[in-house]
């Protein structure tokens, strides 16, 4: 007798259990790598304590176990305070980008009105033609964005790519006969779009989210490195790399530590998404007619 596991293409016996355990090592490695920057970013300001008196610039010792920065501040204390702006801005920008891109891409893929699809996608084609960092710098010359403004700008430049990817993946999923079966069954547009098409493209979105979050972190860090959205002496990992690079060969920890934390954050994020994408896909809830069509598609 054919089991539900057989229909999902996972096989029987020990194979599914092996497939489920395979990403464990990568997942554990991702958690280990990302834990340090995340803990420092979220709990750092609580652990930092009171500020100490400033010392000479770019010195080691004298109670500063990571030395001092370009203006004599304790590097460890700056590290504890510098992660939260980077992490929160990047996460906020990524979430905002998908919050806009998901409905736009799904509507463009599933609508039968050509004019609506053109209205949604053509402005994004114009926006995607402008390099992301250049657009952020152009806006920054007119306005003075803070952390929230920087998150909005980074989200804006990521919406066109994300929306096009959602639309392409959703168009492929919407062309399947199971979607037509759902329509014949009388399912609502919302259930078809979210309940089937949305779940079908989750793996594609997961793969894109891991890469996109790395790109968002790069944009946020680069913008902060160039002074957009932050003050020149702000406690920010990217700003620390920029402002302390002149003393790299005198006091390297002021540059190396924040740079390594940014690298660990991006690397750990990609490892976690890779591990999650290796897990077997969950079953999609369909009606009886939809399940029958789905079985036919698997067999073919």
């Amino acid at each position: 007798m054919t089991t539900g596991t057989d229909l999902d293409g996972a096989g029987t016996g020990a194979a599914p259990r092996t497939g489920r355990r395979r990403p464990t090592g990568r997942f554990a490695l991702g958690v280990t790598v990302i834990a340090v920057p995340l803990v420092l970013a979220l709990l750092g300001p609580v652990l930092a304590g009171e500020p100490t008196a400033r010392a000479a610039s770019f010195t080691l010792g004298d109670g500063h176990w990571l030395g001092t920065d370009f203006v004599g501040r304790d590097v460890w204390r700056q590290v504890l305070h510098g992660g939260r702006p980077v992490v929160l801005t990047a996460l906020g920008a990524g979430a905002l980008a998908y919050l806009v891109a998901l409905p736009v891409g799904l509507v463009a893929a599933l609508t039968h009105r050509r004019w609506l699809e053109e209205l949604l996608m053509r402005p994004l084609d114009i926006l995607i033609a402008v390099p992301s960092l250049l657009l952020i710098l152009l806006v920054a010359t007119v306005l003075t964005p803070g952390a929230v403004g920087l998150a909005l700008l980074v989200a804006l430049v990521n919406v066109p790519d994300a929306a096009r990817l959602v639309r392409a993946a959703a168009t492929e999923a919407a062309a399947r006969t199971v979607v037509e079966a759902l329509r014949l069954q009388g399912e609502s547009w919302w259930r078809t779009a979210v309940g089937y098409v949305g779940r079908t493209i989750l793996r594609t979105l997961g793969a894109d989210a891991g890469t996109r979050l790395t790109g968002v972190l790069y944009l946020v860090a680069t913008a902060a490195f160039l002074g957009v959205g932050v003050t020149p002496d702000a406690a920010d990992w990217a700003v620390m790399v920029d402002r302390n690079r002149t003393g790299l060969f005198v006091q390297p920890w002021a540059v190396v530590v924040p740079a390594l934390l940014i690298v660990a954050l991006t690397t750990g994020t990609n490892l976690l998404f890779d591990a999650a994408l290796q897990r077997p896909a969950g079953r999609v809830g369909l009606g009886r007619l939809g399940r029958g069509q789905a079985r036919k598609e698997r067999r073919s």
Side-chain angles (χ1 to χ4, degrees):
M1 183 175 68
T2 304
T3 64
T5 305
D6 292 331
L7 291 176
D8 286 337
T12 56
R17 292 191 294 270
T18 303
R20 292 177 189 273
R21 290 175 182 171
R22 185 171 51 191
T24 303
R26 183 173 294 182
F27 182 81
L29 178 60
V31 170
T32 302
V33 171
I34 204 173
V36 174
L38 278 183
V39 169
L40 290 178
L42 298 178
L43 300 181
V46 179
L47 303 174
E50 296 297 324
T52 57
R54 295 191 181 188
S57 301
F58 297 130
T59 59
L60 289 169
D62 195 21
H64 307 286
W65 67 286
L66 285 182
T68 59
D69 65 0
F70 70 107
V71 291
R73 296 173 299 188
D74 185 74
V75 169
W76 175 240
R77 191 171 186 279
Q78 292 298 105
V79 167
L80 291 176
H81 279 283
R84 186 174 291 183
V86 175
V87 172
L88 293 183
T89 303
L91 290 178
L96 285 172
Y98 278 110
L99 192 64
V100 176
L102 276 172
V104 169
L106 285 174
V107 171
L110 296 175
T111 185
H112 295 290
R113 298 174 176 86
R114 183 70 176 177
W115 64 268
L116 179 57
E117 181 182 356
E118 295 291 325
L119 181 64
L120 291 172
M121 301 306 298
R122 295 297 76 82
L124 299 182
D125 291 341
I126 297 173
L127 188 60
I128 204 174
V130 183
S132 301
L133 187 57
L134 176 60
L135 181 59
I136 292 174
L137 293 177
L138 287 174
V139 174
T141 59
V142 180
L143 305 173
T144 306
V148 176
L150 179 58
L152 290 173
L153 283 174
V154 174
L156 176 66
V157 299
N158 276 274
V159 166
D161 280 339
R164 288 172 66 88
L165 182 136
V166 171
R167 174 177 171 268
T171 299
E172 189 277 331
R176 300 176 183 177
T177 52
V178 65
V179 175
E180 185 62 29
L182 288 171
R183 288 172 180 160
L184 294 174
Q185 188 175 297
E187 297 289 356
S188 65
W189 184 93
W190 176 260
R191 179 171 170 77
T192 302
V194 178
Y196 179 76
V197 176
R199 293 189 185 183
T200 302
I201 66 175
L202 276 180
R203 285 179 178 268
T204 302
L205 293 181
D208 178 69
T211 305
R212 191 166 303 282
L213 185 56
T214 302
V216 166
L217 281 166
Y218 161 78
L219 273 178
V220 170
T222 304
F225 183 87
L226 296 174
V228 178
V230 294
T231 56
D233 61 344
D236 183 285
W237 289 345
V239 175
M240 290 178 67
V241 174
D242 175 38
R243 302 295 287 174
N244 295 309
R245 57 193 169 93
T246 55
L248 176 62
F249 297 104
V250 179
Q251 209 290 76
W253 301 118
V255 175
V256 171
V257 172
L260 286 178
L261 288 171
I262 293 175
V263 171
L265 192 61
T266 57
T267 303
T269 299
N270 275 312
L271 286 172
L272 286 178
F273 274 98
D274 285 346
L277 290 172
Q278 287 183 10
R279 296 183 182 278
R283 300 188 65 176
V284 177
L286 302 173
R288 183 169 56 185
L289 182 56
R291 286 196 296 270
Q293 291 293 336
R295 293 191 190 100
K296 290 180 181 178
E297 287 188 355
R298 293 190 190 100
R299 291 167 183 166
S300 62

